PDB file of all heavy atoms in Angstrom:
ATOM      1  N   ASN A 161     -10.921-118.917 -80.552  1.00 85.00           N
ATOM      2  CA  ASN A 161     -10.960-120.111 -81.379  1.00 85.00           C
ATOM      3  C   ASN A 161     -11.438-121.319 -80.572  1.00 85.00           C
ATOM      4  O   ASN A 161     -12.259-122.108 -81.047  1.00 85.00           O
ATOM      5  CB  ASN A 161      -9.582-120.381 -81.982  1.00 85.00           C
ATOM      6  CG  ASN A 161      -9.627-121.425 -83.057  1.00 85.00           C
ATOM      7  OD1 ASN A 161     -10.573-121.508 -83.817  1.00 85.00           O
ATOM      8  ND2 ASN A 161      -8.591-122.246 -83.128  1.00 85.00           N
ATOM      9  N   ALA A 162     -10.950-121.458 -79.349  1.00 86.00           N
ATOM     10  CA  ALA A 162     -11.385-122.564 -78.499  1.00 86.00           C
ATOM     11  C   ALA A 162     -12.875-122.462 -78.188  1.00 86.00           C
ATOM     12  O   ALA A 162     -13.590-123.467 -78.191  1.00 86.00           O
ATOM     13  CB  ALA A 162     -10.573-122.580 -77.203  1.00 86.00           C
ATOM     14  N   ARG A 163     -13.342-121.255 -77.961  1.00 84.00           N
ATOM     15  CA  ARG A 163     -14.774-121.042 -77.689  1.00 84.00           C
ATOM     16  C   ARG A 163     -15.607-121.423 -78.911  1.00 84.00           C
ATOM     17  O   ARG A 163     -16.651-122.066 -78.793  1.00 84.00           O
ATOM     18  CB  ARG A 163     -15.012-119.589 -77.310  1.00 84.00           C
ATOM     19  CG  ARG A 163     -16.441-119.272 -76.983  1.00 84.00           C
ATOM     20  CD  ARG A 163     -16.587-117.837 -76.485  1.00 84.00           C
ATOM     21  NE  ARG A 163     -17.981-117.506 -76.366  1.00 84.00           N
ATOM     22  CZ  ARG A 163     -18.521-116.395 -76.830  1.00 84.00           C
ATOM     23  NH1 ARG A 163     -17.774-115.482 -77.387  1.00 84.00           N
ATOM     24  NH2 ARG A 163     -19.807-116.159 -76.683  1.00 84.00           N
ATOM     25  N   ALA A 164     -15.122-121.036 -80.094  1.00 85.00           N
ATOM     26  CA  ALA A 164     -15.841-121.373 -81.328  1.00 85.00           C
ATOM     27  C   ALA A 164     -15.873-122.888 -81.536  1.00 85.00           C
ATOM     28  O   ALA A 164     -16.903-123.448 -81.924  1.00 85.00           O
ATOM     29  CB  ALA A 164     -15.190-120.682 -82.522  1.00 85.00           C
ATOM     30  N   GLN A 165     -14.770-123.559 -81.265  1.00 86.00           N
ATOM     31  CA  GLN A 165     -14.735-125.012 -81.413  1.00 86.00           C
ATOM     32  C   GLN A 165     -15.670-125.689 -80.418  1.00 86.00           C
ATOM     33  O   GLN A 165     -16.370-126.642 -80.778  1.00 86.00           O
ATOM     34  CB  GLN A 165     -13.307-125.526 -81.230  1.00 86.00           C
ATOM     35  CG  GLN A 165     -12.397-125.206 -82.393  1.00 86.00           C
ATOM     36  CD  GLN A 165     -10.961-125.652 -82.159  1.00 86.00           C
ATOM     37  OE1 GLN A 165     -10.601-126.075 -81.070  1.00 86.00           O
ATOM     38  NE2 GLN A 165     -10.137-125.542 -83.185  1.00 86.00           N
ATOM     39  N   ALA A 166     -15.688-125.209 -79.188  1.00 85.00           N
ATOM     40  CA  ALA A 166     -16.585-125.780 -78.182  1.00 85.00           C
ATOM     41  C   ALA A 166     -18.047-125.553 -78.557  1.00 85.00           C
ATOM     42  O   ALA A 166     -18.883-126.450 -78.402  1.00 85.00           O
ATOM     43  CB  ALA A 166     -16.287-125.173 -76.812  1.00 85.00           C
ATOM     44  N   THR A 167     -18.345-124.372 -79.067  1.00 84.00           N
ATOM     45  CA  THR A 167     -19.717-124.072 -79.491  1.00 84.00           C
ATOM     46  C   THR A 167     -20.133-124.978 -80.641  1.00 84.00           C
ATOM     47  O   THR A 167     -21.250-125.494 -80.663  1.00 84.00           O
ATOM     48  CB  THR A 167     -19.832-122.591 -79.908  1.00 84.00           C
ATOM     49  OG1 THR A 167     -19.467-121.775 -78.793  1.00 84.00           O
ATOM     50  CG2 THR A 167     -21.244-122.245 -80.357  1.00 84.00           C
ATOM     51  N   GLU A 168     -19.229-125.192 -81.593  1.00 85.00           N
ATOM     52  CA  GLU A 168     -19.526-126.063 -82.727  1.00 85.00           C
ATOM     53  C   GLU A 168     -19.706-127.510 -82.264  1.00 85.00           C
ATOM     54  O   GLU A 168     -20.612-128.203 -82.728  1.00 85.00           O
ATOM     55  CB  GLU A 168     -18.411-125.979 -83.774  1.00 85.00           C
ATOM     56  CG  GLU A 168     -18.594-126.898 -84.954  1.00 85.00           C
ATOM     57  CD  GLU A 168     -19.882-126.689 -85.745  1.00 85.00           C
ATOM     58  OE1 GLU A 168     -20.518-125.621 -85.626  1.00 85.00           O
ATOM     59  OE2 GLU A 168     -20.264-127.600 -86.496  1.00 85.00           O
ATOM     60  N   ALA A 169     -18.878-127.961 -81.340  1.00 85.00           N
ATOM     61  CA  ALA A 169     -19.016-129.319 -80.813  1.00 85.00           C
ATOM     62  C   ALA A 169     -20.354-129.485 -80.094  1.00 85.00           C
ATOM     63  O   ALA A 169     -21.025-130.515 -80.233  1.00 85.00           O
ATOM     64  CB  ALA A 169     -17.854-129.643 -79.878  1.00 85.00           C
ATOM     65  N   MET A 170     -20.757-128.466 -79.343  1.00 84.00           N
ATOM     66  CA  MET A 170     -22.039-128.500 -78.643  1.00 84.00           C
ATOM     67  C   MET A 170     -23.190-128.544 -79.651  1.00 84.00           C
ATOM     68  O   MET A 170     -24.137-129.305 -79.490  1.00 84.00           O
ATOM     69  CB  MET A 170     -22.168-127.272 -77.739  1.00 84.00           C
ATOM     70  CG  MET A 170     -23.409-127.252 -76.893  1.00 84.00           C
ATOM     71  SD  MET A 170     -23.462-125.864 -75.728  1.00 84.00           S
ATOM     72  CE  MET A 170     -23.150-124.463 -76.776  1.00 84.00           C
ATOM     73  N   ARG A 171     -23.090-127.732 -80.701  1.00 84.00           N
ATOM     74  CA  ARG A 171     -24.133-127.718 -81.724  1.00 84.00           C
ATOM     75  C   ARG A 171     -24.220-129.079 -82.427  1.00 84.00           C
ATOM     76  O   ARG A 171     -25.302-129.618 -82.643  1.00 84.00           O
ATOM     77  CB  ARG A 171     -23.859-126.612 -82.746  1.00 84.00           C
ATOM     78  CG  ARG A 171     -25.003-126.428 -83.753  1.00 84.00           C
ATOM     79  CD  ARG A 171     -24.554-125.697 -84.998  1.00 84.00           C
ATOM     80  NE  ARG A 171     -23.536-126.406 -85.724  1.00 84.00           N
ATOM     81  CZ  ARG A 171     -23.770-127.442 -86.539  1.00 84.00           C
ATOM     82  NH1 ARG A 171     -24.985-127.905 -86.697  1.00 84.00           N
ATOM     83  NH2 ARG A 171     -22.784-128.028 -87.183  1.00 84.00           N
ATOM     84  N   ARG A 172     -23.061-129.660 -82.738  1.00 85.00           N
ATOM     85  CA  ARG A 172     -23.025-130.961 -83.397  1.00 85.00           C
ATOM     86  C   ARG A 172     -23.646-132.038 -82.503  1.00 85.00           C
ATOM     87  O   ARG A 172     -24.415-132.878 -82.983  1.00 85.00           O
ATOM     88  CB  ARG A 172     -21.573-131.326 -83.730  1.00 85.00           C
ATOM     89  CG  ARG A 172     -21.360-131.705 -85.156  1.00 85.00           C
ATOM     90  CD  ARG A 172     -19.959-132.162 -85.520  1.00 85.00           C
ATOM     91  NE  ARG A 172     -18.923-132.042 -84.522  1.00 85.00           N
ATOM     92  CZ  ARG A 172     -18.014-131.086 -84.488  1.00 85.00           C
ATOM     93  NH1 ARG A 172     -18.015-130.136 -85.400  1.00 85.00           N
ATOM     94  NH2 ARG A 172     -17.094-131.065 -83.547  1.00 85.00           N
ATOM     95  N   ALA A 173     -23.310-132.008 -81.216  1.00 86.00           N
ATOM     96  CA  ALA A 173     -23.879-132.985 -80.283  1.00 86.00           C
ATOM     97  C   ALA A 173     -25.388-132.828 -80.191  1.00 86.00           C
ATOM     98  O   ALA A 173     -26.119-133.832 -80.122  1.00 86.00           O
ATOM     99  CB  ALA A 173     -23.240-132.821 -78.906  1.00 86.00           C
ATOM    100  N   GLU A 174     -25.851-131.601 -80.206  1.00 86.00           N
ATOM    101  CA  GLU A 174     -27.293-131.351 -80.147  1.00 86.00           C
ATOM    102  C   GLU A 174     -27.990-131.900 -81.395  1.00 86.00           C
ATOM    103  O   GLU A 174     -29.048-132.526 -81.307  1.00 86.00           O
ATOM    104  CB  GLU A 174     -27.545-129.855 -80.010  1.00 86.00           C
ATOM    105  CG  GLU A 174     -28.999-129.498 -79.809  1.00 86.00           C
ATOM    106  CD  GLU A 174     -29.167-128.001 -79.628  1.00 86.00           C
ATOM    107  OE1 GLU A 174     -29.087-127.280 -80.632  1.00 86.00           O
ATOM    108  OE2 GLU A 174     -29.365-127.578 -78.490  1.00 86.00           O
ATOM    109  N   VAL A 175     -27.391-131.686 -82.557  1.00 87.00           N
ATOM    110  CA  VAL A 175     -27.961-132.190 -83.817  1.00 87.00           C
ATOM    111  C   VAL A 175     -27.981-133.717 -83.807  1.00 87.00           C
ATOM    112  O   VAL A 175     -28.973-134.335 -84.209  1.00 87.00           O
ATOM    113  CB  VAL A 175     -27.161-131.643 -85.025  1.00 87.00           C
ATOM    114  CG1 VAL A 175     -27.511-132.379 -86.295  1.00 87.00           C
ATOM    115  CG2 VAL A 175     -27.396-130.157 -85.189  1.00 87.00           C
ATOM    116  N   GLU A 176     -26.890-134.331 -83.334  1.00 89.00           N
ATOM    117  CA  GLU A 176     -26.838-135.790 -83.275  1.00 89.00           C
ATOM    118  C   GLU A 176     -27.885-136.346 -82.321  1.00 89.00           C
ATOM    119  O   GLU A 176     -28.523-137.360 -82.610  1.00 89.00           O
ATOM    120  CB  GLU A 176     -25.436-136.246 -82.862  1.00 89.00           C
ATOM    121  CG  GLU A 176     -24.402-136.037 -83.947  1.00 89.00           C
ATOM    122  CD  GLU A 176     -22.982-136.298 -83.474  1.00 89.00           C
ATOM    123  OE1 GLU A 176     -22.788-136.781 -82.330  1.00 89.00           O
ATOM    124  OE2 GLU A 176     -22.052-136.007 -84.258  1.00 89.00           O
ATOM    125  N   GLU A 177     -28.077-135.699 -81.190  1.00 89.00           N
ATOM    126  CA  GLU A 177     -29.084-136.154 -80.232  1.00 89.00           C
ATOM    127  C   GLU A 177     -30.488-136.010 -80.821  1.00 89.00           C
ATOM    128  O   GLU A 177     -31.337-136.897 -80.654  1.00 89.00           O
ATOM    129  CB  GLU A 177     -28.973-135.371 -78.922  1.00 89.00           C
ATOM    130  CG  GLU A 177     -30.038-135.709 -77.899  1.00 89.00           C
ATOM    131  CD  GLU A 177     -30.052-137.179 -77.496  1.00 89.00           C
ATOM    132  OE1 GLU A 177     -29.016-137.856 -77.593  1.00 89.00           O
ATOM    133  OE2 GLU A 177     -31.132-137.651 -77.095  1.00 89.00           O
ATOM    134  N   ALA A 178     -30.730-134.910 -81.516  1.00 90.00           N
ATOM    135  CA  ALA A 178     -32.043-134.728 -82.160  1.00 90.00           C
ATOM    136  C   ALA A 178     -32.264-135.794 -83.228  1.00 90.00           C
ATOM    137  O   ALA A 178     -33.377-136.331 -83.351  1.00 90.00           O
ATOM    138  CB  ALA A 178     -32.134-133.328 -82.761  1.00 90.00           C
ATOM    139  N   ALA A 179     -31.234-136.125 -83.984  1.00 91.00           N
ATOM    140  CA  ALA A 179     -31.355-137.159 -85.009  1.00 91.00           C
ATOM    141  C   ALA A 179     -31.610-138.527 -84.374  1.00 91.00           C
ATOM    142  O   ALA A 179     -32.421-139.318 -84.864  1.00 91.00           O
ATOM    143  CB  ALA A 179     -30.085-137.197 -85.860  1.00 91.00           C
ATOM    144  N   ARG A 180     -30.916-138.803 -83.255  1.00 88.00           N
ATOM    145  CA  ARG A 180     -31.126-140.068 -82.560  1.00 88.00           C
ATOM    146  C   ARG A 180     -32.559-140.171 -82.036  1.00 88.00           C
ATOM    147  O   ARG A 180     -33.220-141.205 -82.166  1.00 88.00           O
ATOM    148  CB  ARG A 180     -30.145-140.209 -81.396  1.00 88.00           C
ATOM    149  CG  ARG A 180     -30.171-141.611 -80.755  1.00 88.00           C
ATOM    150  CD  ARG A 180     -29.521-141.639 -79.392  1.00 88.00           C
ATOM    151  NE  ARG A 180     -30.176-140.787 -78.409  1.00 88.00           N
ATOM    152  CZ  ARG A 180     -31.369-141.012 -77.858  1.00 88.00           C
ATOM    153  NH1 ARG A 180     -32.076-142.063 -78.210  1.00 88.00           N
ATOM    154  NH2 ARG A 180     -31.876-140.195 -76.973  1.00 88.00           N
ATOM    155  N   ALA A 181     -33.062-139.075 -81.473  1.00 89.00           N
ATOM    156  CA  ALA A 181     -34.430-139.062 -80.952  1.00 89.00           C
ATOM    157  C   ALA A 181     -35.433-139.241 -82.092  1.00 89.00           C
ATOM    158  O   ALA A 181     -36.425-139.971 -81.949  1.00 89.00           O
ATOM    159  CB  ALA A 181     -34.697-137.759 -80.194  1.00 89.00           C
ATOM    160  N   GLU A 182     -35.172-138.614 -83.215  1.00 89.00           N
ATOM    161  CA  GLU A 182     -36.067-138.761 -84.378  1.00 89.00           C
ATOM    162  C   GLU A 182     -36.057-140.200 -84.886  1.00 89.00           C
ATOM    163  O   GLU A 182     -37.096-140.748 -85.223  1.00 89.00           O
ATOM    164  CB  GLU A 182     -35.634-137.783 -85.479  1.00 89.00           C
ATOM    165  CG  GLU A 182     -36.580-137.709 -86.647  1.00 89.00           C
ATOM    166  CD  GLU A 182     -37.936-137.136 -86.284  1.00 89.00           C
ATOM    167  OE1 GLU A 182     -38.025-136.318 -85.368  1.00 89.00           O
ATOM    168  OE2 GLU A 182     -38.922-137.525 -86.949  1.00 89.00           O
ATOM    169  N   TRP A 183     -34.883-140.805 -84.932  1.00 86.00           N
ATOM    170  CA  TRP A 183     -34.773-142.206 -85.358  1.00 86.00           C
ATOM    171  C   TRP A 183     -35.547-143.098 -84.394  1.00 86.00           C
ATOM    172  O   TRP A 183     -36.258-144.000 -84.828  1.00 86.00           O
ATOM    173  CB  TRP A 183     -33.303-142.615 -85.430  1.00 86.00           C
ATOM    174  CG  TRP A 183     -33.145-144.078 -85.711  1.00 86.00           C
ATOM    175  CD1 TRP A 183     -32.769-145.046 -84.828  1.00 86.00           C
ATOM    176  CD2 TRP A 183     -33.406-144.747 -86.944  1.00 86.00           C
ATOM    177  NE1 TRP A 183     -32.770-146.265 -85.438  1.00 86.00           N
ATOM    178  CE2 TRP A 183     -33.160-146.120 -86.745  1.00 86.00           C
ATOM    179  CE3 TRP A 183     -33.834-144.317 -88.192  1.00 86.00           C
ATOM    180  CZ2 TRP A 183     -33.318-147.064 -87.740  1.00 86.00           C
ATOM    181  CZ3 TRP A 183     -33.982-145.267 -89.198  1.00 86.00           C
ATOM    182  CH2 TRP A 183     -33.727-146.607 -88.977  1.00 86.00           C
ATOM    183  N   GLN A 184     -35.436-142.819 -83.097  1.00 85.00           N
ATOM    184  CA  GLN A 184     -36.144-143.625 -82.099  1.00 85.00           C
ATOM    185  C   GLN A 184     -37.661-143.481 -82.280  1.00 85.00           C
ATOM    186  O   GLN A 184     -38.373-144.467 -82.178  1.00 85.00           O
ATOM    187  CB  GLN A 184     -35.740-143.196 -80.685  1.00 85.00           C
ATOM    188  CG  GLN A 184     -36.291-144.084 -79.593  1.00 85.00           C
ATOM    189  CD  GLN A 184     -35.801-145.524 -79.703  1.00 85.00           C
ATOM    190  OE1 GLN A 184     -34.654-145.767 -80.018  1.00 85.00           O
ATOM    191  NE2 GLN A 184     -36.670-146.462 -79.464  1.00 85.00           N
ATOM    192  N   ARG A 185     -38.131-142.290 -82.556  1.00 83.00           N
ATOM    193  CA  ARG A 185     -39.573-142.088 -82.805  1.00 83.00           C
ATOM    194  C   ARG A 185     -40.010-142.845 -84.053  1.00 83.00           C
ATOM    195  O   ARG A 185     -41.082-143.430 -84.099  1.00 83.00           O
ATOM    196  CB  ARG A 185     -39.890-140.608 -82.959  1.00 83.00           C
ATOM    197  CG  ARG A 185     -40.067-139.880 -81.660  1.00 83.00           C
ATOM    198  CD  ARG A 185     -40.679-138.498 -81.839  1.00 83.00           C
ATOM    199  NE  ARG A 185     -39.833-137.591 -82.598  1.00 83.00           N
ATOM    200  CZ  ARG A 185     -38.817-136.892 -82.096  1.00 83.00           C
ATOM    201  NH1 ARG A 185     -38.523-136.994 -80.814  1.00 83.00           N
ATOM    202  NH2 ARG A 185     -38.100-136.094 -82.851  1.00 83.00           N
ATOM    203  N   PHE A 186     -39.146-142.831 -85.088  1.00 81.00           N
ATOM    204  CA  PHE A 186     -39.478-143.527 -86.339  1.00 81.00           C
ATOM    205  C   PHE A 186     -39.460-145.035 -86.121  1.00 81.00           C
ATOM    206  O   PHE A 186     -40.360-145.743 -86.555  1.00 81.00           O
ATOM    207  CB  PHE A 186     -38.466-143.138 -87.427  1.00 81.00           C
ATOM    208  CG  PHE A 186     -38.559-143.979 -88.661  1.00 81.00           C
ATOM    209  CD1 PHE A 186     -39.593-143.803 -89.557  1.00 81.00           C
ATOM    210  CD2 PHE A 186     -37.611-144.964 -88.920  1.00 81.00           C
ATOM    211  CE1 PHE A 186     -39.677-144.586 -90.689  1.00 81.00           C
ATOM    212  CE2 PHE A 186     -37.692-145.753 -90.044  1.00 81.00           C
ATOM    213  CZ  PHE A 186     -38.729-145.566 -90.933  1.00 81.00           C
ATOM    214  N   TRP A 187     -38.439-145.535 -85.449  1.00 79.00           N
ATOM    215  CA  TRP A 187     -38.251-146.968 -85.275  1.00 79.00           C
ATOM    216  C   TRP A 187     -39.205-147.527 -84.225  1.00 79.00           C
ATOM    217  O   TRP A 187     -39.627-148.669 -84.307  1.00 79.00           O
ATOM    218  CB  TRP A 187     -36.801-147.244 -84.888  1.00 79.00           C
ATOM    219  CG  TRP A 187     -36.460-148.701 -84.853  1.00 79.00           C
ATOM    220  CD1 TRP A 187     -36.191-149.430 -83.748  1.00 79.00           C
ATOM    221  CD2 TRP A 187     -36.372-149.587 -85.952  1.00 79.00           C
ATOM    222  NE1 TRP A 187     -35.926-150.725 -84.076  1.00 79.00           N
ATOM    223  CE2 TRP A 187     -36.038-150.854 -85.444  1.00 79.00           C
ATOM    224  CE3 TRP A 187     -36.562-149.455 -87.311  1.00 79.00           C
ATOM    225  CZ2 TRP A 187     -35.876-151.966 -86.253  1.00 79.00           C
ATOM    226  CZ3 TRP A 187     -36.393-150.567 -88.111  1.00 79.00           C
ATOM    227  CH2 TRP A 187     -36.053-151.798 -87.592  1.00 79.00           C
ATOM    228  N   GLY A 188     -39.546-146.697 -83.263  1.00 75.00           N
ATOM    229  CA  GLY A 188     -40.472-147.133 -82.219  1.00 75.00           C
ATOM    230  C   GLY A 188     -39.828-148.118 -81.273  1.00 75.00           C
ATOM    231  O   GLY A 188     -38.651-148.028 -80.952  1.00 75.00           O
ATOM    232  N   SER A 189     -40.605-149.125 -80.874  1.00 70.00           N
ATOM    233  CA  SER A 189     -40.101-150.102 -79.909  1.00 70.00           C
ATOM    234  C   SER A 189     -39.221-151.143 -80.572  1.00 70.00           C
ATOM    235  O   SER A 189     -38.603-151.945 -79.893  1.00 70.00           O
ATOM    236  CB  SER A 189     -41.275-150.783 -79.209  1.00 70.00           C
ATOM    237  OG  SER A 189     -41.997-151.554 -80.165  1.00 70.00           O
ATOM    238  N   GLY A 190     -39.206-151.183 -81.874  1.00 66.00           N
ATOM    239  CA  GLY A 190     -38.406-152.179 -82.585  1.00 66.00           C
ATOM    240  C   GLY A 190     -39.210-153.425 -82.926  1.00 66.00           C
ATOM    241  O   GLY A 190     -38.737-154.294 -83.641  1.00 66.00           O
ATOM    242  N   ALA A 191     -40.420-153.532 -82.401  1.00 67.00           N
ATOM    243  CA  ALA A 191     -41.255-154.694 -82.715  1.00 67.00           C
ATOM    244  C   ALA A 191     -41.832-154.520 -84.113  1.00 67.00           C
ATOM    245  O   ALA A 191     -42.329-153.455 -84.466  1.00 67.00           O
ATOM    246  CB  ALA A 191     -42.384-154.814 -81.696  1.00 67.00           C
ATOM    247  N   SER A 192     -41.723-155.576 -84.885  1.00 66.00           N
ATOM    248  CA  SER A 192     -42.238-155.471 -86.253  1.00 66.00           C
ATOM    249  C   SER A 192     -43.762-155.641 -86.253  1.00 66.00           C
ATOM    250  O   SER A 192     -44.364-156.047 -85.269  1.00 66.00           O
ATOM    251  CB  SER A 192     -41.589-156.541 -87.130  1.00 66.00           C
ATOM    252  OG  SER A 192     -41.890-157.826 -86.626  1.00 66.00           O
ATOM    253  N   TYR A 193     -44.351-155.392 -87.378  1.00 69.00           N
ATOM    254  CA  TYR A 193     -45.806-155.486 -87.530  1.00 69.00           C
ATOM    255  C   TYR A 193     -46.244-156.935 -87.375  1.00 69.00           C
ATOM    256  O   TYR A 193     -45.639-157.848 -87.929  1.00 69.00           O
ATOM    257  CB  TYR A 193     -46.196-154.942 -88.904  1.00 69.00           C
ATOM    258  CG  TYR A 193     -47.635-155.183 -89.250  1.00 69.00           C
ATOM    259  CD1 TYR A 193     -48.645-154.434 -88.657  1.00 69.00           C
ATOM    260  CD2 TYR A 193     -47.996-156.163 -90.163  1.00 69.00           C
ATOM    261  CE1 TYR A 193     -49.962-154.653 -88.961  1.00 69.00           C
ATOM    262  CE2 TYR A 193     -49.303-156.392 -90.475  1.00 69.00           C
ATOM    263  CZ  TYR A 193     -50.297-155.641 -89.870  1.00 69.00           C
ATOM    264  OH  TYR A 193     -51.608-155.857 -90.176  1.00 69.00           O
ATOM    265  N   THR A 194     -47.302-157.139 -86.613  1.00 73.00           N
ATOM    266  CA  THR A 194     -47.879-158.474 -86.440  1.00 73.00           C
ATOM    267  C   THR A 194     -49.308-158.425 -86.960  1.00 73.00           C
ATOM    268  O   THR A 194     -50.137-157.670 -86.440  1.00 73.00           O
ATOM    269  CB  THR A 194     -47.888-158.875 -84.951  1.00 73.00           C
ATOM    270  OG1 THR A 194     -46.563-158.738 -84.433  1.00 73.00           O
ATOM    271  CG2 THR A 194     -48.368-160.298 -84.769  1.00 73.00           C
ATOM    272  N   PRO A 195     -49.578-159.215 -87.989  1.00 77.00           N
ATOM    273  CA  PRO A 195     -50.945-159.186 -88.536  1.00 77.00           C
ATOM    274  C   PRO A 195     -51.955-159.752 -87.535  1.00 77.00           C
ATOM    275  O   PRO A 195     -51.628-160.622 -86.733  1.00 77.00           O
ATOM    276  CB  PRO A 195     -50.874-160.063 -89.790  1.00 77.00           C
ATOM    277  CG  PRO A 195     -49.641-160.886 -89.624  1.00 77.00           C
ATOM    278  CD  PRO A 195     -48.726-160.163 -88.685  1.00 77.00           C
ATOM    279  N   ALA A 196     -53.144-159.235 -87.595  1.00 79.00           N
ATOM    280  CA  ALA A 196     -54.226-159.734 -86.718  1.00 79.00           C
ATOM    281  C   ALA A 196     -55.497-159.837 -87.536  1.00 79.00           C
ATOM    282  O   ALA A 196     -55.698-159.102 -88.499  1.00 79.00           O
ATOM    283  CB  ALA A 196     -54.410-158.756 -85.560  1.00 79.00           C
ATOM    284  N   SER A 197     -56.349-160.764 -87.139  1.00 81.00           N
ATOM    285  CA  SER A 197     -57.623-160.938 -87.818  1.00 81.00           C
ATOM    286  C   SER A 197     -58.540-159.769 -87.513  1.00 81.00           C
ATOM    287  O   SER A 197     -58.557-159.277 -86.387  1.00 81.00           O
ATOM    288  CB  SER A 197     -58.302-162.225 -87.374  1.00 81.00           C
ATOM    289  OG  SER A 197     -57.491-163.330 -87.685  1.00 81.00           O
TER     290      SER A 197
END
C-alpha cells in the first residue's frame, strides 16, 4: 500500500510538472503583445 501511494504521488507530481511546463510554454515570457508599425 505504501509503495502504491508513493507511486501515485510520483505520478501526480509528474503530471503537475508537465502541466506547469505546458503553462509556461503557453504563457511565454509574460510580456504582452506590443504593436509595431
